[in-house]
Amino acid sequence: ALLSFLSTPIFILLALFAKDVLNVDAMGLGLIDTAWFAGGLLGASLAGVMGKKYRRGIYVVYLFIAEGIAFIFITVSGHMAAAMAAVFIYGLVAAMSAILLRSHLQGIVRDEYRGRFFSFMYLITDGLTPVAMGLTGFAAVTFGTVTVMMWSGVCFTIIALSGFFIREIRKIND
């Protein structure tokens, strides 16, 4: 839920970043969004190919770390091509981590509890989205878009790094 809360700012801040930092119009934002969704499509395809062949636990940790780092690189890109590359990578690793995590959870939650489990999980993660977006907008006006994006990426990466210290996560699919 915390990682979901920290990754939500990209939905609002990317448009502000494109306008204020990259100085692009709606067409430029459209290109950035296209890079994001192209990365997501490739990431989803790669996650599907990976299947159960790999240790999903450690890969999800690596992918979450890469997601946080990509978020940071978006903020320091400063140029349209670099921003598009960073957003593409963000989309790729975000899709892969989400799919691998959810497919693992579907495999370990018993059938009779699966609907309730995912309903509760989405209630928490999706329920935090409006709160995160509201706080993000306030923080962006108060501290600046780049600062909020940077700190979201840094905090996301630090929390993702904690996955290395949780033995149960590291041992998934051993």
Side-chain angles (χ1 to χ4, degrees):
L2 187 56
L3 290 179
S4 177
F5 185 83
L6 290 170
S7 64
T8 297
I10 197 163
F11 294 111
I12 291 196
L13 296 178
L14 201 54
L16 295 172
F17 181 79
K19 182 174 92 47
D20 297 341
V21 177
L22 298 177
N23 299 314
V24 297
D25 57 7
M27 179 67 78
L29 178 60
L31 290 171
I32 291 170
D33 283 344
T34 300
W36 183 1
F37 296 120
L41 182 61
L42 180 60
S45 300
L46 290 173
V49 170
M50 285 178 70
K52 292 185 177 184
K53 294 183 254 184
Y54 301 96
R55 294 175 50 208
R56 282 187 270 185
I58 200 69
Y59 276 105
V60 168
V61 172
Y62 288 137
L63 289 167
F64 277 151
I65 293 167
E67 189 175 341
I69 291 170
F71 204 158
I72 293 167
F73 276 119
I74 293 168
T75 64
V76 297
S77 59
H79 186 269
M80 182 67 168
M84 286 179 66
V87 168
F88 176 85
I89 292 168
Y90 179 86
L92 182 128
V93 296
M96 286 185 75
S97 64
I99 290 170
L100 291 177
L101 179 63
R102 286 182 178 101
S103 66
H104 174 70
L105 291 173
Q106 287 176 348
I108 63 171
V109 176
R110 293 185 4 205
D111 288 342
E112 58 268 19
Y113 297 115
R114 194 171 295 138
R116 285 175 242 162
F117 173 81
F118 280 100
S119 293
F120 185 69
M121 185 180 90
Y122 289 123
L123 173 68
I124 293 171
T125 57
D126 292 352
L128 286 175
T129 299
V131 175
M133 287 187 172
L135 291 174
T136 296
F138 175 75
V141 168
T142 306
F143 304 110
T145 303
V146 173
T147 302
V148 175
M149 287 179 74
M150 178 67 76
W151 278 107
S152 292
V154 168
C155 292
F156 192 99
T157 305
I158 290 169
I159 292 168
L161 283 167
S162 70
F164 284 122
F165 302 104
I166 303 170
R167 186 175 56 86
E168 290 79 10
I169 291 175
R170 288 193 321 266
K171 295 186 109 6
I172 293 174
N173 289 353
D174 266 355

